[in-house]
mmCIF file of all heavy atoms in Angstrom:
data_model
loop_
_atom_site.group_PDB
_atom_site.id
_atom_site.type_symbol
_atom_site.label_atom_id
_atom_site.label_comp_id
_atom_site.label_asym_id
_atom_site.label_seq_id
_atom_site.Cartn_x
_atom_site.Cartn_y
_atom_site.Cartn_z
ATOM 1 N N ALA A 11 -2.390 6.443 -2.529
ATOM 2 C CA ALA A 11 -2.644 5.371 -3.494
ATOM 3 C C ALA A 11 -3.741 4.444 -2.990
ATOM 4 O O ALA A 11 -4.580 4.020 -3.760
ATOM 5 C CB ALA A 11 -1.322 4.571 -3.689
ATOM 6 N N GLN A 12 -3.709 4.134 -1.653
ATOM 7 C CA GLN A 12 -4.783 3.271 -1.150
ATOM 8 C C GLN A 12 -6.157 3.990 -1.264
ATOM 9 O O GLN A 12 -7.162 3.283 -1.528
ATOM 10 C CB GLN A 12 -4.518 2.915 0.307
ATOM 11 C CG GLN A 12 -5.464 1.874 0.886
ATOM 12 C CD GLN A 12 -5.471 0.566 0.053
ATOM 13 O OE1 GLN A 12 -4.449 -0.035 -0.146
ATOM 14 N NE2 GLN A 12 -6.637 0.162 -0.407
ATOM 15 N N ALA A 13 -6.217 5.281 -1.023
ATOM 16 C CA ALA A 13 -7.458 6.018 -1.209
ATOM 17 C C ALA A 13 -7.934 5.927 -2.648
ATOM 18 O O ALA A 13 -9.152 5.763 -2.917
ATOM 19 C CB ALA A 13 -7.283 7.449 -0.774
ATOM 20 N N ALA A 14 -7.016 5.978 -3.613
ATOM 21 C CA ALA A 14 -7.382 5.874 -5.024
ATOM 22 C C ALA A 14 -7.948 4.510 -5.325
ATOM 23 O O ALA A 14 -8.931 4.391 -6.089
ATOM 24 C CB ALA A 14 -6.167 6.168 -5.894
ATOM 25 N N VAL A 15 -7.341 3.467 -4.740
ATOM 26 C CA VAL A 15 -7.873 2.080 -4.919
ATOM 27 C C VAL A 15 -9.303 1.989 -4.313
ATOM 28 O O VAL A 15 -10.191 1.423 -4.956
ATOM 29 C CB VAL A 15 -6.942 1.073 -4.231
ATOM 30 C CG1 VAL A 15 -7.599 -0.327 -4.168
ATOM 31 C CG2 VAL A 15 -5.628 0.977 -5.007
ATOM 32 N N THR A 16 -9.506 2.585 -3.197
ATOM 33 C CA THR A 16 -10.845 2.522 -2.574
ATOM 34 C C THR A 16 -11.845 3.254 -3.464
ATOM 35 O O THR A 16 -12.946 2.793 -3.642
ATOM 36 C CB THR A 16 -10.784 3.184 -1.141
ATOM 37 O OG1 THR A 16 -9.857 2.370 -0.347
ATOM 38 C CG2 THR A 16 -12.133 3.202 -0.490
ATOM 39 N N GLU A 17 -11.468 4.427 -3.943
ATOM 40 C CA GLU A 17 -12.368 5.172 -4.830
ATOM 41 C C GLU A 17 -12.709 4.381 -6.087
ATOM 42 O O GLU A 17 -13.881 4.367 -6.484
ATOM 43 C CB GLU A 17 -11.720 6.487 -5.234
ATOM 44 C CG GLU A 17 -11.596 7.512 -4.131
ATOM 45 C CD GLU A 17 -10.784 8.753 -4.540
ATOM 46 O OE1 GLU A 17 -10.728 9.049 -5.745
ATOM 47 O OE2 GLU A 17 -10.132 9.341 -3.678
ATOM 48 N N LEU A 18 -11.691 3.753 -6.669
ATOM 49 C CA LEU A 18 -11.941 2.978 -7.882
ATOM 50 C C LEU A 18 -12.822 1.768 -7.551
ATOM 51 O O LEU A 18 -13.768 1.465 -8.315
ATOM 52 C CB LEU A 18 -10.601 2.500 -8.474
ATOM 53 C CG LEU A 18 -10.721 1.627 -9.727
ATOM 54 C CD1 LEU A 18 -11.523 2.337 -10.837
ATOM 55 C CD2 LEU A 18 -9.321 1.275 -10.198
ATOM 56 N N ARG A 19 -12.552 1.097 -6.465
ATOM 57 C CA ARG A 19 -13.389 -0.077 -6.058
ATOM 58 C C ARG A 19 -14.826 0.301 -5.884
ATOM 59 O O ARG A 19 -15.743 -0.345 -6.364
ATOM 60 C CB ARG A 19 -12.847 -0.718 -4.781
ATOM 61 C CG ARG A 19 -13.617 -1.963 -4.394
ATOM 62 C CD ARG A 19 -13.017 -2.630 -3.153
ATOM 63 N NE ARG A 19 -11.795 -3.370 -3.516
ATOM 64 C CZ ARG A 19 -10.575 -3.039 -3.069
ATOM 65 N NH1 ARG A 19 -10.427 -2.061 -2.237
ATOM 66 N NH2 ARG A 19 -9.528 -3.715 -3.503
ATOM 67 N N GLU A 20 -15.076 1.455 -5.231
ATOM 68 C CA GLU A 20 -16.457 1.931 -5.019
ATOM 69 C C GLU A 20 -17.104 2.350 -6.319
ATOM 70 O O GLU A 20 -18.304 2.045 -6.548
ATOM 71 C CB GLU A 20 -16.459 3.085 -4.029
ATOM 72 C CG GLU A 20 -16.102 2.633 -2.603
ATOM 73 C CD GLU A 20 -15.857 3.799 -1.641
ATOM 74 O OE1 GLU A 20 -15.906 4.977 -2.033
ATOM 75 O OE2 GLU A 20 -15.607 3.445 -0.446
ATOM 76 N N ALA A 21 -16.367 2.999 -7.227
ATOM 77 C CA ALA A 21 -16.936 3.392 -8.483
ATOM 78 C C ALA A 21 -17.277 2.178 -9.341
ATOM 79 O O ALA A 21 -18.336 2.105 -9.979
ATOM 80 C CB ALA A 21 -15.945 4.317 -9.264
ATOM 81 N N LEU A 22 -16.383 1.218 -9.343
ATOM 82 C CA LEU A 22 -16.666 -0.032 -10.087
ATOM 83 C C LEU A 22 -17.896 -0.759 -9.524
ATOM 84 O O LEU A 22 -18.716 -1.255 -10.282
ATOM 85 C CB LEU A 22 -15.433 -0.957 -10.064
ATOM 86 C CG LEU A 22 -14.266 -0.492 -10.908
ATOM 87 C CD1 LEU A 22 -13.031 -1.336 -10.591
ATOM 88 C CD2 LEU A 22 -14.566 -0.516 -12.389
ATOM 89 N N ALA A 23 -18.005 -0.768 -8.212
ATOM 90 C CA ALA A 23 -19.141 -1.423 -7.552
ATOM 91 C C ALA A 23 -20.438 -0.756 -7.973
ATOM 92 O O ALA A 23 -21.448 -1.440 -8.220
ATOM 93 C CB ALA A 23 -19.005 -1.440 -6.061
ATOM 94 N N ARG A 24 -20.447 0.572 -8.059
ATOM 95 C CA ARG A 24 -21.669 1.296 -8.474
ATOM 96 C C ARG A 24 -22.007 0.941 -9.943
ATOM 97 O O ARG A 24 -23.177 0.975 -10.280
ATOM 98 C CB ARG A 24 -21.464 2.788 -8.343
ATOM 99 C CG ARG A 24 -21.553 3.236 -6.901
ATOM 100 C CD ARG A 24 -21.665 4.772 -6.783
ATOM 101 N NE ARG A 24 -20.632 5.517 -7.466
ATOM 102 C CZ ARG A 24 -19.462 5.859 -6.945
ATOM 103 N NH1 ARG A 24 -19.171 5.557 -5.720
ATOM 104 N NH2 ARG A 24 -18.608 6.552 -7.663
ATOM 105 N N ALA A 25 -21.018 0.550 -10.728
ATOM 106 C CA ALA A 25 -21.254 0.130 -12.121
ATOM 107 C C ALA A 25 -21.519 -1.354 -12.220
ATOM 108 O O ALA A 25 -21.651 -1.902 -13.295
ATOM 109 C CB ALA A 25 -20.057 0.574 -12.982
ATOM 110 N N GLY A 26 -21.585 -2.030 -11.082
ATOM 111 C CA GLY A 26 -21.821 -3.460 -11.092
ATOM 112 C C GLY A 26 -20.612 -4.307 -11.454
ATOM 113 O O GLY A 26 -20.752 -5.419 -11.901
ATOM 114 N N ILE A 27 -19.420 -3.769 -11.250
ATOM 115 C CA ILE A 27 -18.170 -4.451 -11.625
ATOM 116 C C ILE A 27 -17.340 -4.720 -10.359
ATOM 117 O O ILE A 27 -17.177 -3.841 -9.525
ATOM 118 C CB ILE A 27 -17.352 -3.611 -12.596
ATOM 119 C CG1 ILE A 27 -18.194 -3.303 -13.881
ATOM 120 C CG2 ILE A 27 -16.034 -4.238 -12.934
ATOM 121 C CD1 ILE A 27 -17.601 -2.256 -14.766
ATOM 122 N N ARG A 28 -16.828 -5.932 -10.300
ATOM 123 C CA ARG A 28 -15.973 -6.335 -9.159
ATOM 124 C C ARG A 28 -14.664 -6.872 -9.724
ATOM 125 O O ARG A 28 -14.670 -7.830 -10.516
ATOM 126 C CB ARG A 28 -16.648 -7.373 -8.301
ATOM 127 C CG ARG A 28 -15.880 -7.759 -7.107
ATOM 128 C CD ARG A 28 -16.715 -8.689 -6.205
ATOM 129 N NE ARG A 28 -15.865 -9.198 -5.146
ATOM 130 C CZ ARG A 28 -15.189 -10.353 -5.199
ATOM 131 N NH1 ARG A 28 -15.225 -11.063 -6.261
ATOM 132 N NH2 ARG A 28 -14.440 -10.690 -4.201
ATOM 133 N N LEU A 29 -13.533 -6.293 -9.276
ATOM 134 C CA LEU A 29 -12.222 -6.830 -9.613
ATOM 135 C C LEU A 29 -11.596 -7.383 -8.334
ATOM 136 O O LEU A 29 -11.082 -6.606 -7.531
ATOM 137 C CB LEU A 29 -11.323 -5.718 -10.209
ATOM 138 C CG LEU A 29 -11.761 -5.162 -11.546
ATOM 139 C CD1 LEU A 29 -10.823 -4.053 -11.980
ATOM 140 C CD2 LEU A 29 -11.784 -6.253 -12.616
#
Side-chain angles (χ1 to χ4, degrees):
Q12 187 58 55
V15 168
T16 299
E17 290 172 27
L18 179 56
R19 182 176 285 115
E20 290 171 357
L22 289 169
R24 286 193 306 270
I27 300 167
R28 183 174 171 269
L29 294 177

